[in-house]
Amino acid sequence: MEYVIALLSQQPLMTLFLVVAFGYLLGEVNIKGFSLGAGAVLFVALFVGWLAPKSAPAPLVGTLGLALFLYCVGIQYGKLFFTGLVSPTGRKANLLALIGLIVAGAAALASMNLFGLKPGYVLGVFAGSGTSTPALQAAMSSLGNSDPAVGYSATYPFGVAGPILVMYLAFFLFKPKIEVPKSAALDFMEIAVRNPDLFGKKLGDVLHMLPSQTEIAAVRHEGRNKFPDPALVLGPDDVLMITSATEAGLEEARKIIGEAAPGKIVMDRSALDYFRVFASKRAVVGTALGDLKIPGGFDYQLVQVTRGDSDLLPRRDLILEFGDRVGLLVNRANAQAVRAFFGDSIKGTADLSYISIGLGMALGLLVGLIPLPIPGLGKLTLGFAGLLLTALVLGYFRRSGGLHWTMPLSANLVLRNLGLTIFLAQVGISCGPKFAEALAESGFLLVFDGVLVLMSLVLPVMIIGMVVFKLPFDEVCGVVGGVTGNPAILMYAGKLTGTEKPDVGYAMIFPGATVMKILFVQIAAAIWGG
Protein backbone atom coordinates (compact mmCIF):
# COMPACT_ATOMS: atom_id res chain seq x y z
CA MET A 1 0.00 0.00 0.00
CA GLU A 2 2.88 2.37 0.80
CA TYR A 3 4.24 1.81 -2.70
CA VAL A 4 0.84 2.68 -4.23
CA ILE A 5 0.55 5.84 -2.13
CA ALA A 6 4.09 6.88 -3.10
CA LEU A 7 3.38 6.27 -6.79
CA LEU A 8 0.15 8.31 -6.69
CA SER A 9 1.93 11.15 -4.87
CA GLN A 10 4.81 11.25 -7.36
CA GLN A 11 2.56 11.12 -10.45
CA PRO A 12 -0.34 13.55 -9.91
CA LEU A 13 -1.29 13.61 -13.61
CA MET A 14 -1.49 9.83 -13.74
CA THR A 15 -3.54 9.92 -10.55
CA LEU A 16 -5.93 12.42 -12.12
CA PHE A 17 -6.73 10.15 -15.05
CA LEU A 18 -7.02 7.07 -12.85
CA VAL A 19 -9.61 8.96 -10.83
CA VAL A 20 -11.46 9.86 -14.03
CA ALA A 21 -11.49 6.25 -15.21
CA PHE A 22 -12.63 4.68 -11.94
CA GLY A 23 -15.05 7.56 -11.30
CA TYR A 24 -16.89 6.97 -14.55
CA LEU A 25 -16.86 3.22 -13.87
CA LEU A 26 -18.62 3.87 -10.55
CA GLY A 27 -20.91 6.43 -12.19
CA GLU A 28 -22.26 3.80 -14.59
CA VAL A 29 -23.63 1.70 -11.72
CA ASN A 30 -27.40 1.99 -12.05
CA ILE A 31 -29.74 1.26 -9.15
CA LYS A 32 -33.38 1.37 -10.27
CA GLY A 33 -32.76 4.24 -12.67
CA PHE A 34 -30.47 6.20 -10.35
CA SER A 35 -26.78 6.69 -11.10
CA LEU A 36 -24.23 9.30 -10.10
CA GLY A 37 -22.83 9.79 -13.62
CA ALA A 38 -19.92 12.21 -13.74
CA GLY A 39 -20.54 13.12 -10.09
CA ALA A 40 -19.02 9.76 -9.06
CA VAL A 41 -15.63 11.14 -10.12
CA LEU A 42 -15.77 13.46 -7.13
CA PHE A 43 -16.26 10.62 -4.64
CA VAL A 44 -13.44 8.53 -6.10
CA ALA A 45 -11.25 11.65 -6.03
CA LEU A 46 -12.07 12.29 -2.37
CA PHE A 47 -11.07 8.74 -1.48
CA VAL A 48 -7.80 9.02 -3.40
CA GLY A 49 -7.11 12.41 -1.84
CA TRP A 50 -7.65 10.94 1.63
CA LEU A 51 -5.43 7.96 0.78
CA ALA A 52 -2.62 9.99 -0.84
CA PRO A 53 -2.87 13.66 0.25
CA LYS A 54 0.14 14.73 -1.83
CA SER A 55 -1.26 13.40 -5.12
CA ALA A 56 -3.37 16.46 -5.96
CA PRO A 57 -2.62 18.08 -9.37
CA ALA A 58 -2.06 21.83 -9.59
CA PRO A 59 -5.22 23.94 -9.03
CA LEU A 60 -4.85 25.45 -12.51
CA VAL A 61 -5.77 22.05 -13.98
CA GLY A 62 -9.18 22.16 -12.32
CA THR A 63 -9.68 25.81 -13.19
CA LEU A 64 -9.05 25.08 -16.86
CA GLY A 65 -11.56 22.22 -16.79
CA LEU A 66 -14.31 24.36 -15.29
CA ALA A 67 -13.63 27.19 -17.75
CA LEU A 68 -14.07 24.79 -20.69
CA PHE A 69 -17.30 23.45 -19.22
CA LEU A 70 -18.89 26.88 -18.73
CA TYR A 71 -17.79 28.21 -22.11
CA CYS A 72 -19.23 25.22 -23.98
CA VAL A 73 -22.52 25.46 -22.06
CA GLY A 74 -22.89 29.13 -22.98
CA ILE A 75 -22.01 28.61 -26.63
CA GLN A 76 -24.53 25.80 -27.03
CA TYR A 77 -27.46 27.34 -25.14
CA GLY A 78 -27.02 31.04 -25.91
CA LYS A 79 -29.81 31.21 -28.48
CA LEU A 80 -32.34 29.32 -26.37
CA PHE A 81 -31.40 31.24 -23.22
CA PHE A 82 -32.10 34.68 -24.69
CA THR A 83 -35.22 33.38 -26.44
CA GLY A 84 -36.45 32.21 -23.05
CA LEU A 85 -36.01 35.68 -21.59
CA VAL A 86 -38.50 37.22 -24.04
CA SER A 87 -41.01 34.44 -24.71
CA PRO A 88 -44.07 34.16 -22.40
CA THR A 89 -43.26 30.55 -21.49
CA GLY A 90 -39.61 31.39 -20.98
CA ARG A 91 -40.40 34.29 -18.65
CA LYS A 92 -42.63 32.06 -16.50
CA ALA A 93 -39.96 29.38 -16.43
CA ASN A 94 -37.22 31.82 -15.43
CA LEU A 95 -39.46 33.35 -12.76
CA LEU A 96 -40.07 29.86 -11.36
CA ALA A 97 -36.35 29.19 -11.26
CA LEU A 98 -35.69 32.51 -9.55
CA ILE A 99 -38.31 31.78 -6.87
CA GLY A 100 -36.79 28.36 -6.22
CA LEU A 101 -33.27 29.76 -5.93
CA ILE A 102 -34.36 32.55 -3.57
CA VAL A 103 -36.14 30.08 -1.26
CA ALA A 104 -33.22 27.64 -1.36
CA GLY A 105 -30.71 30.41 -0.69
CA ALA A 106 -32.74 31.65 2.27
CA ALA A 107 -32.98 28.11 3.64
CA ALA A 108 -29.23 27.64 3.31
CA LEU A 109 -28.43 30.88 5.15
CA ALA A 110 -30.98 30.14 7.86
CA SER A 111 -29.39 26.74 8.49
CA MET A 112 -26.07 28.42 9.20
CA ASN A 113 -27.44 29.82 12.46
CA LEU A 114 -29.95 27.04 13.07
CA PHE A 115 -27.37 24.23 12.95
CA GLY A 116 -24.25 26.23 13.79
CA LEU A 117 -22.47 25.23 10.57
CA LYS A 118 -19.48 26.99 9.08
CA PRO A 119 -20.28 29.40 6.19
CA GLY A 120 -18.10 27.32 3.88
CA TYR A 121 -19.98 24.13 4.70
CA VAL A 122 -23.33 25.86 4.13
CA LEU A 123 -22.30 27.32 0.77
CA GLY A 124 -21.05 23.87 -0.22
CA VAL A 125 -24.41 22.40 0.83
CA PHE A 126 -26.14 24.97 -1.39
CA ALA A 127 -23.89 24.10 -4.33
CA GLY A 128 -24.17 20.34 -3.76
CA SER A 129 -27.94 20.36 -3.35
CA GLY A 130 -28.17 22.13 -6.70
CA THR A 131 -25.36 19.96 -8.15
CA SER A 132 -23.64 23.17 -9.28
CA THR A 133 -19.92 22.65 -9.77
CA PRO A 134 -19.38 26.29 -10.87
CA ALA A 135 -20.99 27.48 -7.61
CA LEU A 136 -18.64 25.19 -5.69
CA GLN A 137 -15.62 26.73 -7.38
CA ALA A 138 -16.94 30.25 -6.77
CA ALA A 139 -17.48 29.48 -3.07
CA MET A 140 -13.97 28.06 -2.62
CA SER A 141 -12.43 30.97 -4.50
CA SER A 142 -14.38 33.57 -2.52
CA LEU A 143 -13.62 32.00 0.88
CA GLY A 144 -10.06 31.00 0.08
CA ASN A 145 -10.45 27.50 1.54
CA SER A 146 -11.86 24.08 0.66
CA ASP A 147 -14.70 24.00 3.22
CA PRO A 148 -17.39 24.21 0.50
CA ALA A 149 -16.13 20.96 -1.06
CA VAL A 150 -17.04 19.15 2.17
CA GLY A 151 -20.66 20.34 2.14
CA TYR A 152 -20.86 19.76 -1.62
CA SER A 153 -19.68 16.16 -1.38
CA ALA A 154 -22.00 15.33 1.52
CA THR A 155 -25.11 16.61 -0.26
CA TYR A 156 -24.41 15.90 -3.93
CA PRO A 157 -25.91 12.36 -4.03
CA PHE A 158 -29.31 13.51 -2.76
CA GLY A 159 -28.97 16.56 -5.02
CA VAL A 160 -29.19 14.08 -7.90
CA ALA A 161 -31.66 11.59 -6.41
CA GLY A 162 -34.00 14.11 -4.72
CA PRO A 163 -35.40 15.87 -7.82
CA ILE A 164 -35.86 12.49 -9.52
CA LEU A 165 -37.86 11.27 -6.52
CA VAL A 166 -39.99 14.44 -6.46
CA MET A 167 -40.79 14.20 -10.18
CA TYR A 168 -41.70 10.53 -9.82
CA LEU A 169 -44.03 11.20 -6.88
CA ALA A 170 -45.65 14.16 -8.68
CA PHE A 171 -46.21 12.01 -11.76
CA PHE A 172 -47.67 9.20 -9.64
CA LEU A 173 -49.97 11.46 -7.59
CA PHE A 174 -51.21 13.90 -10.26
CA LYS A 175 -51.15 11.53 -13.26
CA PRO A 176 -50.71 14.47 -15.66
CA LYS A 177 -51.83 14.27 -19.27
CA ILE A 178 -48.84 14.74 -21.57
CA GLU A 179 -49.24 15.53 -25.26
CA VAL A 180 -47.71 13.02 -27.66
CA PRO A 181 -44.42 14.55 -28.87
CA LYS A 182 -43.87 15.49 -32.47
CA SER A 183 -41.36 13.48 -34.39
CA ALA A 184 -37.90 15.04 -34.63
CA ALA A 185 -37.67 13.78 -38.23
CA LEU A 186 -39.37 15.32 -41.24
CA ASP A 187 -42.22 13.33 -42.74
CA PHE A 188 -42.61 12.77 -46.49
CA MET A 189 -45.64 11.89 -48.60
CA GLU A 190 -46.19 11.57 -52.34
CA ILE A 191 -49.64 12.93 -53.25
CA ALA A 192 -51.32 12.64 -56.65
CA VAL A 193 -53.24 15.71 -57.83
CA ARG A 194 -56.90 14.65 -57.85
CA ASN A 195 -58.58 17.88 -56.79
CA PRO A 196 -60.16 19.42 -59.94
CA ASP A 197 -59.77 22.89 -58.44
CA LEU A 198 -56.00 22.51 -58.77
CA PHE A 199 -55.99 21.53 -62.46
CA GLY A 200 -54.37 24.34 -64.42
CA LYS A 201 -53.08 26.12 -61.31
CA LYS A 202 -49.45 27.10 -60.93
CA LEU A 203 -47.37 25.21 -58.40
CA GLY A 204 -46.52 28.45 -56.58
CA ASP A 205 -50.24 29.11 -55.99
CA VAL A 206 -50.72 25.62 -54.58
CA LEU A 207 -47.80 26.08 -52.18
CA HIS A 208 -49.57 29.05 -50.59
CA MET A 209 -52.60 26.83 -49.95
CA LEU A 210 -50.62 24.29 -47.93
CA PRO A 211 -50.30 24.42 -44.12
CA SER A 212 -47.31 26.03 -42.45
CA GLN A 213 -44.14 23.98 -41.93
CA THR A 214 -44.91 22.23 -45.21
CA GLU A 215 -42.83 22.32 -48.41
CA ILE A 216 -42.92 20.82 -51.91
CA ALA A 217 -39.67 18.92 -52.51
CA ALA A 218 -40.29 17.53 -56.01
CA VAL A 219 -42.94 17.14 -58.74
CA ARG A 220 -43.68 14.33 -61.16
CA HIS A 221 -45.09 15.97 -64.30
CA GLU A 222 -45.82 14.23 -67.58
CA GLY A 223 -44.09 11.06 -66.39
CA ARG A 224 -40.84 12.76 -65.34
CA ASN A 225 -39.51 13.93 -61.96
CA LYS A 226 -38.82 17.66 -61.85
CA PHE A 227 -37.81 20.38 -59.42
CA PRO A 228 -40.69 22.40 -57.93
CA ASP A 229 -40.78 25.33 -60.34
CA PRO A 230 -43.43 27.83 -59.07
CA ALA A 231 -44.45 28.52 -62.69
CA LEU A 232 -45.19 24.85 -63.44
CA VAL A 233 -48.87 24.33 -64.37
CA LEU A 234 -50.37 21.29 -62.68
CA GLY A 235 -52.51 18.71 -64.41
CA PRO A 236 -54.42 15.62 -63.36
CA ASP A 237 -52.29 12.73 -62.13
CA ASP A 238 -49.25 14.92 -61.45
CA VAL A 239 -47.58 13.88 -58.18
CA LEU A 240 -46.16 16.19 -55.51
CA MET A 241 -43.62 15.11 -52.91
CA ILE A 242 -44.58 16.98 -49.74
CA THR A 243 -42.34 17.37 -46.69
CA SER A 244 -43.69 18.47 -43.32
CA ALA A 245 -42.60 18.76 -39.71
CA THR A 246 -45.81 16.98 -38.61
CA GLU A 247 -48.00 14.11 -39.73
CA ALA A 248 -50.99 16.41 -39.35
CA GLY A 249 -49.45 18.77 -41.89
CA LEU A 250 -49.09 15.96 -44.39
CA GLU A 251 -52.67 14.81 -43.87
CA GLU A 252 -54.00 18.32 -44.37
CA ALA A 253 -51.93 18.65 -47.56
CA ARG A 254 -53.33 15.34 -48.81
CA LYS A 255 -56.90 16.56 -48.33
CA ILE A 256 -56.10 19.70 -50.33
CA ILE A 257 -54.27 17.99 -53.20
CA GLY A 258 -55.78 14.57 -53.73
CA GLU A 259 -54.71 11.12 -52.61
CA ALA A 260 -51.51 9.39 -51.54
CA ALA A 261 -49.47 7.85 -54.35
CA PRO A 262 -46.47 6.21 -52.66
CA GLY A 263 -43.47 5.28 -54.79
CA LYS A 264 -44.32 7.36 -57.87
CA ILE A 265 -41.35 9.72 -57.40
CA VAL A 266 -38.85 7.83 -55.26
CA MET A 267 -38.85 4.77 -57.52
CA ASP A 268 -37.61 6.79 -60.50
CA ARG A 269 -34.13 8.22 -59.93
CA SER A 270 -33.19 8.79 -63.56
CA ALA A 271 -33.67 12.57 -63.39
CA LEU A 272 -33.45 13.30 -59.64
CA ASP A 273 -31.72 11.46 -56.83
CA TYR A 274 -31.52 12.13 -53.11
CA PHE A 275 -28.15 12.80 -51.46
CA ARG A 276 -27.06 13.78 -47.94
CA VAL A 277 -23.78 15.61 -47.42
CA PHE A 278 -21.94 16.97 -44.37
CA ALA A 279 -21.51 20.73 -44.17
CA SER A 280 -17.78 20.82 -43.38
CA LYS A 281 -16.36 23.66 -45.49
CA ARG A 282 -15.87 27.01 -43.79
CA ALA A 283 -17.19 28.73 -46.92
CA VAL A 284 -20.68 27.31 -46.35
CA VAL A 285 -20.78 27.13 -42.54
CA GLY A 286 -22.34 30.27 -41.12
CA THR A 287 -24.17 30.97 -44.39
CA ALA A 288 -27.95 31.12 -44.72
CA LEU A 289 -29.42 28.50 -47.06
CA GLY A 290 -30.94 31.25 -49.19
CA ASP A 291 -27.46 32.64 -49.88
CA LEU A 292 -25.92 29.35 -51.02
CA LYS A 293 -24.93 29.23 -54.70
CA ILE A 294 -23.59 25.87 -55.85
CA PRO A 295 -21.43 26.55 -58.92
CA GLY A 296 -21.98 24.64 -62.14
CA GLY A 297 -25.26 26.04 -63.37
CA PHE A 298 -27.30 22.92 -62.55
CA ASP A 299 -30.58 22.78 -60.65
CA TYR A 300 -30.97 21.30 -57.17
CA GLN A 301 -33.55 21.31 -54.41
CA LEU A 302 -32.75 21.48 -50.68
CA VAL A 303 -35.01 19.08 -48.79
CA GLN A 304 -33.86 18.99 -45.17
CA VAL A 305 -31.06 19.80 -42.75
CA THR A 306 -30.25 17.33 -39.98
CA ARG A 307 -28.70 18.90 -36.88
CA GLY A 308 -27.94 16.57 -34.01
CA ASP A 309 -30.95 14.25 -33.79
CA SER A 310 -33.45 16.65 -35.39
CA ASP A 311 -34.50 17.32 -38.98
CA LEU A 312 -35.11 20.95 -39.93
CA LEU A 313 -37.04 22.36 -42.85
CA PRO A 314 -34.68 24.14 -45.25
CA ARG A 315 -35.84 27.71 -44.62
CA ARG A 316 -33.98 30.40 -46.52
CA ASP A 317 -32.85 32.02 -43.26
CA LEU A 318 -31.56 28.78 -41.69
CA ILE A 319 -27.83 29.17 -41.05
CA LEU A 320 -25.63 26.11 -41.54
CA GLU A 321 -23.37 24.91 -38.74
CA PHE A 322 -20.41 22.55 -38.74
CA GLY A 323 -21.58 18.95 -38.79
CA ASP A 324 -25.03 19.66 -40.29
CA ARG A 325 -26.17 17.08 -42.81
CA VAL A 326 -27.88 18.62 -45.82
CA GLY A 327 -30.36 16.51 -47.79
CA LEU A 328 -31.04 17.59 -51.37
CA LEU A 329 -32.38 16.40 -54.70
CA VAL A 330 -30.06 16.68 -57.69
CA ASN A 331 -29.21 14.80 -60.85
CA ARG A 332 -26.75 12.02 -60.08
CA ALA A 333 -24.30 13.46 -62.62
CA ASN A 334 -23.88 16.54 -60.40
CA ALA A 335 -23.49 14.69 -57.10
CA GLN A 336 -19.70 15.11 -57.00
CA ALA A 337 -19.98 18.87 -57.48
CA VAL A 338 -22.43 19.03 -54.58
CA ARG A 339 -20.08 17.06 -52.32
CA ALA A 340 -17.16 19.29 -53.26
CA PHE A 341 -19.18 22.44 -52.52
CA PHE A 342 -20.30 21.38 -49.03
CA GLY A 343 -17.10 19.50 -48.15
CA ASP A 344 -18.96 16.32 -47.15
CA SER A 345 -16.39 15.30 -44.52
CA ILE A 346 -17.35 13.59 -41.28
CA LYS A 347 -14.60 15.66 -39.68
CA GLY A 348 -17.10 18.50 -39.79
CA THR A 349 -18.91 16.89 -36.87
CA ALA A 350 -15.88 17.60 -34.68
CA ASP A 351 -14.40 20.66 -36.41
CA LEU A 352 -14.03 23.79 -34.34
CA SER A 353 -12.06 27.01 -34.41
CA TYR A 354 -9.36 27.21 -31.77
CA ILE A 355 -9.03 30.88 -32.64
CA SER A 356 -12.68 31.42 -31.64
CA ILE A 357 -12.32 29.34 -28.48
CA GLY A 358 -9.17 31.19 -27.46
CA LEU A 359 -10.58 34.65 -28.10
CA GLY A 360 -14.00 33.83 -26.64
CA MET A 361 -12.64 32.36 -23.41
CA ALA A 362 -10.09 35.16 -23.01
CA LEU A 363 -12.84 37.74 -23.45
CA GLY A 364 -15.06 35.94 -20.94
CA LEU A 365 -12.29 35.75 -18.33
CA LEU A 366 -11.61 39.48 -18.82
CA VAL A 367 -15.31 40.25 -18.28
CA GLY A 368 -15.13 38.19 -15.10
CA LEU A 369 -12.39 40.52 -13.80
CA ILE A 370 -14.46 43.69 -14.14
CA PRO A 371 -15.27 45.00 -10.63
CA LEU A 372 -18.95 45.72 -10.04
CA PRO A 373 -19.96 48.05 -7.17
CA ILE A 374 -22.38 46.35 -4.76
CA PRO A 375 -23.96 48.67 -2.16
CA GLY A 376 -22.79 47.71 1.31
CA LEU A 377 -20.28 45.17 0.01
CA GLY A 378 -17.86 47.23 -2.04
CA LYS A 379 -16.78 45.83 -5.38
CA LEU A 380 -17.47 42.30 -6.58
CA THR A 381 -16.15 40.58 -9.70
CA LEU A 382 -18.24 38.15 -11.72
CA GLY A 383 -15.50 35.55 -11.94
CA PHE A 384 -16.59 32.53 -13.94
CA ALA A 385 -20.11 33.95 -14.17
CA GLY A 386 -18.58 36.54 -16.52
CA LEU A 387 -17.20 33.76 -18.68
CA LEU A 388 -20.60 32.06 -18.87
CA LEU A 389 -22.43 35.31 -19.67
CA THR A 390 -19.93 36.12 -22.42
CA ALA A 391 -20.32 32.64 -23.90
CA LEU A 392 -24.12 33.02 -23.87
CA VAL A 393 -23.86 36.26 -25.84
CA LEU A 394 -21.42 34.73 -28.34
CA GLY A 395 -23.65 31.66 -28.66
CA TYR A 396 -26.60 33.93 -29.39
CA PHE A 397 -24.83 35.80 -32.21
CA ARG A 398 -23.14 32.58 -33.42
CA ARG A 399 -20.65 34.41 -35.61
CA SER A 400 -18.87 37.76 -35.89
CA GLY A 401 -17.38 38.51 -39.28
CA GLY A 402 -15.23 35.51 -40.17
CA LEU A 403 -15.25 34.04 -36.65
CA HIS A 404 -17.64 31.16 -35.92
CA TRP A 405 -18.30 31.05 -32.19
CA THR A 406 -20.42 27.91 -32.34
CA MET A 407 -19.05 24.40 -32.61
CA PRO A 408 -20.57 21.03 -33.58
CA LEU A 409 -22.68 19.49 -30.85
CA SER A 410 -20.46 16.41 -30.67
CA ALA A 411 -17.32 18.51 -30.13
CA ASN A 412 -19.15 20.68 -27.60
CA LEU A 413 -20.23 17.67 -25.55
CA VAL A 414 -16.72 16.20 -25.52
CA LEU A 415 -15.07 19.42 -24.36
CA ARG A 416 -17.81 20.17 -21.84
CA ASN A 417 -17.78 16.74 -20.19
CA LEU A 418 -13.99 16.56 -20.21
CA GLY A 419 -13.72 19.96 -18.54
CA LEU A 420 -16.27 19.10 -15.84
CA THR A 421 -14.63 15.74 -15.16
CA ILE A 422 -11.14 17.22 -14.78
CA PHE A 423 -12.42 19.87 -12.39
CA LEU A 424 -14.23 17.36 -10.18
CA ALA A 425 -11.19 15.08 -10.10
CA GLN A 426 -8.76 17.88 -9.17
CA VAL A 427 -11.01 19.38 -6.50
CA GLY A 428 -11.83 16.00 -4.96
CA ILE A 429 -8.19 14.90 -4.68
CA SER A 430 -7.25 18.25 -3.14
CA CYS A 431 -10.05 18.12 -0.55
CA GLY A 432 -9.83 14.43 0.40
CA PRO A 433 -8.11 14.76 3.81
CA LYS A 434 -10.28 17.62 5.01
CA PHE A 435 -13.45 15.93 3.77
CA ALA A 436 -12.88 12.81 5.84
CA GLU A 437 -12.27 14.85 8.97
CA ALA A 438 -15.30 17.12 8.52
CA LEU A 439 -17.66 14.32 7.55
CA ALA A 440 -16.77 12.41 10.69
CA GLU A 441 -17.52 15.51 12.72
CA SER A 442 -20.87 16.62 11.25
CA GLY A 443 -21.68 14.42 8.27
CA PHE A 444 -25.31 13.58 9.15
CA LEU A 445 -26.08 17.23 9.84
CA LEU A 446 -24.72 18.24 6.44
CA VAL A 447 -26.82 15.60 4.69
CA PHE A 448 -29.96 16.73 6.54
CA ASP A 449 -29.22 20.34 5.65
CA GLY A 450 -28.80 19.30 2.02
CA VAL A 451 -32.23 17.66 2.01
CA LEU A 452 -33.75 20.82 3.48
CA VAL A 453 -32.10 23.10 0.92
CA LEU A 454 -32.95 20.83 -2.02
CA MET A 455 -36.62 20.58 -1.07
CA SER A 456 -36.66 24.37 -0.74
CA LEU A 457 -35.39 24.53 -4.30
CA VAL A 458 -37.50 21.89 -6.03
CA LEU A 459 -40.90 21.97 -4.28
CA PRO A 460 -41.68 25.67 -4.96
CA VAL A 461 -40.88 25.11 -8.63
CA MET A 462 -43.13 22.04 -8.88
CA ILE A 463 -46.05 23.45 -6.85
CA ILE A 464 -46.12 26.99 -8.26
CA GLY A 465 -45.43 25.77 -11.78
CA MET A 466 -48.27 23.26 -11.85
CA VAL A 467 -50.83 24.87 -9.51
CA VAL A 468 -50.35 28.63 -9.96
CA PHE A 469 -48.88 28.97 -13.48
CA LYS A 470 -50.69 25.82 -14.68
CA LEU A 471 -47.76 24.85 -16.88
CA PRO A 472 -47.72 21.37 -18.45
CA PHE A 473 -45.98 18.74 -16.33
CA ASP A 474 -43.18 18.18 -18.85
CA GLU A 475 -42.40 21.91 -18.97
CA VAL A 476 -42.19 22.07 -15.18
CA CYS A 477 -39.85 19.06 -15.22
CA GLY A 478 -37.65 21.01 -17.64
CA VAL A 479 -37.49 23.91 -15.18
CA VAL A 480 -36.61 21.49 -12.37
CA GLY A 481 -33.86 20.02 -14.53
CA GLY A 482 -32.50 23.45 -15.40
CA VAL A 483 -32.56 24.90 -11.88
CA THR A 484 -30.89 21.80 -10.39
CA GLY A 485 -28.60 21.40 -13.38
CA ASN A 486 -27.59 17.75 -13.31
CA PRO A 487 -27.79 15.91 -16.67
CA ALA A 488 -29.03 12.76 -14.89
CA ILE A 489 -32.08 14.70 -13.68
CA LEU A 490 -32.75 15.98 -17.19
CA MET A 491 -32.37 12.49 -18.62
CA TYR A 492 -34.89 11.10 -16.14
CA ALA A 493 -37.34 13.92 -16.89
CA GLY A 494 -37.14 13.07 -20.59
CA LYS A 495 -37.78 9.38 -19.93
CA LEU A 496 -40.64 10.12 -17.54
CA THR A 497 -42.51 12.50 -19.84
CA GLY A 498 -41.47 11.16 -23.25
CA THR A 499 -41.27 14.66 -24.75
CA GLU A 500 -38.54 17.15 -25.67
CA LYS A 501 -39.93 19.94 -23.48
CA PRO A 502 -37.63 19.10 -20.54
CA ASP A 503 -34.64 19.64 -22.87
CA VAL A 504 -35.98 23.03 -23.97
CA GLY A 505 -36.67 24.09 -20.37
CA TYR A 506 -33.22 22.94 -19.30
CA ALA A 507 -31.60 25.01 -22.05
CA MET A 508 -33.57 28.13 -21.11
CA ILE A 509 -33.00 27.83 -17.36
CA PHE A 510 -29.64 26.17 -16.73
CA PRO A 511 -27.30 29.03 -17.82
CA GLY A 512 -29.16 31.74 -15.90
CA ALA A 513 -29.56 29.52 -12.83
CA THR A 514 -25.83 28.82 -12.89
CA VAL A 515 -25.04 32.53 -12.95
CA MET A 516 -27.47 33.17 -10.08
CA LYS A 517 -25.91 30.39 -7.97
CA ILE A 518 -22.42 31.77 -8.57
CA LEU A 519 -23.46 35.29 -7.62
CA PHE A 520 -25.31 34.05 -4.54
CA VAL A 521 -22.32 32.20 -3.08
CA GLN A 522 -20.01 35.12 -3.89
CA ILE A 523 -22.26 37.64 -2.13
CA ALA A 524 -22.92 35.29 0.79
CA ALA A 525 -19.19 34.64 1.16
CA ALA A 526 -18.49 38.39 1.16
CA ILE A 527 -21.08 39.02 3.91
CA TRP A 528 -20.77 35.95 6.15
CA GLY A 529 -17.46 34.42 5.16
CA GLY A 530 -15.31 37.06 6.84
Side-chain angles (χ1 to χ4, degrees):
M1 180 60 71
E2 292 182 1
Y3 173 77
V4 173
I5 294 174
L7 179 62
L8 294 175
S9 301
Q10 293 170 9
Q11 300 293 330
L13 194 59
M14 179 198 73
T15 303
L16 178 79
F17 285 107
L18 282 175
V19 166
V20 170
F22 285 102
Y24 267 92
L25 185 63
L26 177 62
E28 290 180 357
V29 175
N30 191 303
I31 302 175
K32 294 184 178 181
F34 170 74
S35 62
L36 288 172
V41 173
L42 179 63
F43 298 102
V44 174
L46 288 167
F47 172 76
V48 172
W50 167 78
L51 183 67
K54 296 181 180 179
S55 63
L60 183 62
V61 174
T63 302
L64 173 62
L66 185 62
L68 280 173
F69 171 76
L70 290 175
Y71 183 77
C72 290
V73 166
I75 288 297
Q76 179 181 345
Y77 293 134
K79 198 78 174 179
L80 277 172
F81 172 70
F82 285 106
T83 300
L85 292 179
V86 297
S87 67
T89 300
R91 286 197 294 268
K92 285 184 179 180
N94 278 282
L95 178 58
L96 269 180
L98 180 61
I99 292 172
L101 288 171
I102 290 174
V103 176
L109 295 178
S111 69
M112 190 161 45
N113 294 325
L114 184 63
F115 301 136
L117 295 171
K118 293 181 181 180
Y121 289 176
V122 169
L123 295 184
V125 166
F126 176 81
S129 299
T131 66
S132 177
T133 307
L136 168 63
Q137 191 279 337
M140 291 193 301
S141 177
S142 299
L143 294 173
N145 59 52
S146 58
D147 285 352
V150 177
Y152 183 93
S153 305
T155 54
Y156 181 92
F158 191 74
V160 177
I164 292 175
L165 178 62
V166 170
M167 286 190 288
Y168 172 79
L169 290 176
F171 185 83
F172 177 78
L173 293 173
F174 294 103
K175 296 180 173 55
K177 293 182 179 179
I178 300 174
E179 294 183 8
V180 178
K182 298 177 181 179
S183 172
L186 291 179
D187 291 314
F188 296 80
M189 181 183 288
E190 295 177 49
I191 307 174
V193 179
R194 294 284 191 267
N195 184 353
D197 295 337
L198 302 185
F199 299 163
K201 278 189 175 292
K202 293 182 179 180
L203 189 64
D205 297 331
V206 174
L207 180 59
H208 292 306
M209 300 169 60
L210 299 179
S212 61
Q213 298 294 302
T214 301
E215 299 286 347
I216 300 175
V219 181
R220 186 168 183 82
H221 180 70
E222 296 179 348
R224 183 177 176 82
N225 293 342
K226 297 184 177 183
F227 294 106
D229 181 358
L232 179 68
V233 178
L234 293 177
D237 297 328
D238 285 351
V239 180
L240 308 183
M241 177 180 280
I242 306 296
T243 64
S244 177
T246 64
E247 292 184 6
L250 288 180
E251 182 59 25
E252 187 175 345
R254 185 196 63 75
K255 292 178 180 178
I256 295 172
I257 298 170
E259 62 184 38
K264 293 291 186 180
I265 293 179
V266 298
M267 296 302 292
D268 180 6
R269 301 194 174 191
S270 59
L272 299 180
D273 207 347
Y274 177 77
F275 294 91
R276 297 181 76 181
V277 293
F278 283 107
S280 59
K281 270 194 174 180
R282 295 188 180 275
V284 300
V285 172
T287 303
L289 293 183
D291 297 330
L292 292 178
K293 304 294 180 186
I294 303 180
F298 54 86
D299 292 328
Y300 60 91
Q301 175 69 21
L302 298 173
V303 177
Q304 68 187 113
V305 174
T306 303
R307 179 171 298 164
D309 295 328
S310 300
D311 286 342
L312 309 174
L313 283 170
R315 305 184 313 271
R316 290 183 56 83
D317 60 345
L318 180 64
I319 296 176
L320 285 179
E321 296 182 2
F322 279 115
D324 285 350
R325 294 197 71 186
V326 182
L328 68 167
L329 294 172
V330 67
N331 189 284
R332 182 170 289 275
N334 300 314
Q336 191 57 41
V338 170
R339 292 192 175 102
F341 177 75
F342 285 97
D344 197 25
S345 172
I346 196 172
K347 293 180 180 179
T349 60
D351 198 7
L352 50 88
S353 169
Y354 290 100
I355 298 174
S356 298
I357 291 179
L359 291 176
M361 291 188 67
L363 178 61
L365 293 171
L366 283 174
V367 170
L369 295 175
I370 298 175
L372 301 175
I374 305 295
L377 296 178
K379 293 182 178 180
L380 184 71
T381 58
L382 289 174
F384 277 127
L387 174 62
L388 178 56
L389 286 171
T390 301
L392 288 169
V393 173
L394 297 180
Y396 174 79
F397 287 108
R398 311 190 79 78
R399 64 181 296 186
S400 303
L403 289 174
H404 299 281
W405 303 113
T406 58
M407 61 184 78
L409 179 59
S410 55
N412 186 297
L413 289 172
V414 169
L415 285 178
R416 187 201 316 173
N417 292 334
L418 177 63
L420 178 62
T421 300
I422 288 176
F423 173 76
L424 290 174
Q426 192 278 328
V427 167
I429 297 172
S430 301
C431 301
K434 190 170 185 178
F435 172 74
E437 178 184 343
L439 202 58
E441 177 185 340
S442 56
F444 176 77
L445 192 57
L446 291 177
V447 173
F448 178 77
D449 192 26
V451 173
L452 175 66
V453 173
L454 178 65
M455 291 297 103
S456 301
L457 176 64
V458 175
L459 290 181
V461 173
M462 292 293 297
I463 295 172
I464 297 175
M466 296 179 64
V467 177
V468 180
F469 291 167
K470 300 190 182 303
L471 293 175
F473 179 74
D474 47 356
E475 289 186 14
V476 176
C477 286
V479 178
V480 171
V483 78
T484 50
N486 192 281
I489 299 170
L490 173 65
M491 185 180 301
Y492 180 81
K495 291 180 179 178
L496 182 67
T497 63
T499 76
E500 294 182 352
K501 288 183 179 179
D503 293 329
V504 176
Y506 182 91
M508 289 192 300
I509 299 301
F510 175 67
T514 301
V515 172
M516 293 297 296
K517 291 174 185 177
I518 292 173
L519 293 177
F520 170 78
V521 297
Q522 286 180 324
I523 294 173
I527 298 175
W528 289 281

